[in-house]
Amino acid sequence: MRIIVTGGAGFIGSVMVQYLVNTYPEDTIINLDKLTYAGNLENLKPIEDKANYKFIRGDIADRKFVFDLFEQENPDCVINFAAETHVDRSVKNPEDFVRTNVMGTTTLLDACKEFSTPRYHQVSTDEVYGDLPLDRPDLFFTENTPLHASSPYSASKASADMFVQAYHRTFGLPVTISRCSNNYGQYQFPEKLIPLMISRALNDQELPVYGTGTNVRDWLHVEDHCKAIDLIVRNGKIGDVYNIGGHNERTNLDVVKTILETLGKPETLIKYVKDRPGHDRRYAIDPEKLEKELGWVPTYNFDTGIRQTIQWYLDNQDWMQHILSGDYQTYFKDMYKDRVQ
């Protein structure tokens, strides 16, 4: 197959690209990324010289560029990771999220329709469901939970999901959607909770925790997420939604304390700060459909996964330093200027 992975220089996308390149050497994997602040080609160093890998820089919301790309590459499958994802940024600049997450998605869908692409997969989020009460641990998001977005970010992702489903119902486009819980693991941009706390703890800086830290998230290791997407793309039922969850609910405060304990740092580094607007209380995914229909089982629980993740950041502090200093943004110019097609 010829597979276009959009957003393949970001956190989850780069892990997905590496997984596909290494697992399916007979496939051609085309990494399409705009290289905004969170896109980092250093994430792809391990596979950048592989014969079945190609990087192309571009914007999924640029209609002419996308249509030209589809005509040139004739993909068999598109996996759309490309998105603005940080809730705090969406509160400040909602328009950026509408452009990429909604207009970018519809541009890809139009290209798939125009060129009869056999397969389109939308990578979504459990945040489209809103949140769950803290005092009802028996409640979980299922694929039939109504969409109830809380932030401009989740509203843009919910809108994209609805467009994907509309293109399937109206035009017969062969699509699937996956909605995942909070990801963690290697290559995550350090504005997110876990890498941010690891980075600050290593430097003995204060660790900002929203409100009282009681908000609950279900944590999913990025490698388990990517394996699940691969199963859905290859074996999932066309037109269906699949939830991907880790069965690893933790409060934000528990996560922060685990990081401090693992690094041997004092809890006095924790600093409680004003909560963000519309902060969802609890996310919890029921992945039973994925497990029963496709046989997916996560490899990591949170205890093993967080230790692996912390160790990765300890072993790759140069990577983190490049991010914090902005040096990673020169990698494209230095290494790819003569190689991009």
Side-chain angles (χ1 to χ4, degrees):
M1 286 200 299
R2 297 182 64 80
I3 303 173
I4 292 179
V5 179
T6 70
F11 163 42
I12 308 173
S14 65
V15 177
M16 187 79 209
V17 168
Q18 288 196 46
Y19 175 78
L20 293 173
V21 168
N22 291 325
T23 306
Y24 304 101
E26 70 281 6
D27 290 348
T28 298
I29 311 304
I30 301 150
N31 176 6
L32 169 60
D33 199 291
K34 188 179 178 181
L35 295 184
T36 58
Y37 76 95
N40 183 2
L41 287 177
E42 288 187 341
N43 297 0
L44 285 307
K45 275 186 177 181
I47 52 94
E48 63 185 5
D49 292 321
K50 296 274 190 176
N52 64 329
Y53 170 70
K54 178 191 294 189
F55 172 72
I56 296 175
R57 187 176 189 177
D59 181 357
I60 64 168
D62 182 336
R63 192 174 185 87
K64 182 180 186 308
F65 165 80
V66 169
F67 274 61
D68 287 347
L69 175 66
F70 272 61
E71 185 172 27
Q72 175 186 335
E73 298 294 343
N74 191 28
D76 300 295
C77 176
V78 175
I79 304 175
N80 182 27
F81 285 94
E84 297 286 347
T85 64
H86 197 250
V87 174
D88 288 349
R89 289 178 182 265
S90 79
V91 173
K92 292 183 177 181
N93 296 295
E95 185 176 353
D96 293 343
F97 287 71
V98 174
R99 184 181 188 279
T100 299
N101 299 358
V102 183
M103 299 304 296
T105 297
T106 56
T107 299
L108 291 172
L109 292 169
D110 282 337
C112 286
K113 180 166 69 76
E114 176 70 19
F115 293 94
S116 301
T117 304
R119 198 71 172 75
Y120 177 90
H121 181 77
Q122 177 75 3
V123 180
S124 188
T125 170
D126 60 356
E127 295 191 40
V128 300
Y129 297 126
D131 64 352
L132 296 167
L134 293 174
D135 60 355
R136 289 293 306 274
D138 57 311
L139 294 180
F140 297 88
F141 296 137
T142 72
E143 290 81 2
N144 295 318
T145 300
L147 304 189
H148 189 66
S150 304
S151 68
Y153 161 61
S154 56
S156 68
K157 292 296 286 185
S159 178
D161 285 5
M162 295 181 75
F163 271 106
V164 172
Q165 291 175 318
Y167 271 63
H168 171 64
R169 292 167 185 164
T170 303
F171 305 113
L173 203 68
V175 306
T176 45
I177 299 171
S178 58
R179 295 175 180 149
C180 68
S181 55
N182 280 44
N183 276 219
Y184 69 102
Q186 61 271 25
Y187 300 115
Q188 189 168 26
F189 198 81
E191 67 182 0
K192 299 292 188 174
L193 178 67
I194 288 177
L196 177 65
M197 297 304 165
I198 293 172
S199 172
R200 294 186 68 86
L202 287 173
N203 291 286
D204 296 310
Q205 297 173 313
E206 288 183 337
L207 276 57
V209 174
Y210 281 130
T212 58
T214 55
N215 303 74
V216 174
R217 300 293 181 261
D218 173 26
W219 291 95
L220 174 69
H221 195 280
V222 63
E223 293 178 13
D224 286 327
H225 183 195
C226 291
K227 291 175 182 177
I229 290 173
D230 184 44
L231 277 173
I232 295 167
V233 166
R234 295 173 189 272
N235 301 310
K237 183 180 177 183
I238 298 298
D240 273 18
V241 175
Y242 291 87
N243 283 347
I244 311 173
H247 290 303
N248 292 301
E249 289 186 55
R250 298 288 191 282
T251 68
N252 290 345
L253 185 58
D254 286 340
V255 172
V256 172
K257 287 183 176 180
T258 297
I259 292 169
L260 289 171
E261 180 182 2
T262 304
L263 294 175
K265 300 291 184 175
E267 292 185 6
T268 53
L269 289 176
I270 295 173
K271 179 178 176 58
Y272 296 97
V273 299
K274 183 180 179 181
D275 210 350
R276 73 183 178 208
H279 197 176
D280 289 334
R281 294 163 294 177
R282 172 176 172 255
Y283 304 147
I285 281 278
D286 179 1
E288 182 179 4
K289 177 180 177 179
L290 178 64
E291 293 170 348
K292 286 189 173 180
E293 287 190 14
L294 302 182
W296 177 80
V297 178
T299 302
Y300 293 94
N301 60 39
F302 188 75
D303 293 334
T304 60
I306 193 64
R307 286 197 299 270
Q308 180 264 2
T309 298
I310 291 172
Q311 189 61 51
W312 187 90
Y313 283 102
L314 288 172
D315 294 339
N316 292 273
Q317 292 190 55
D318 286 348
W319 179 90
M320 179 71 82
Q321 188 55 44
H322 288 173
I323 295 287
L324 297 175
S325 68
D327 287 347
Y328 76 102
Q329 293 178 325
T330 67
Y331 189 77
F332 170 79
K333 181 173 65 177
D334 292 343
M335 298 298 292
Y336 278 78
K337 60 183 178 181
D338 297 323
R339 300 171 54 169
V340 179
Q341 298 187 24

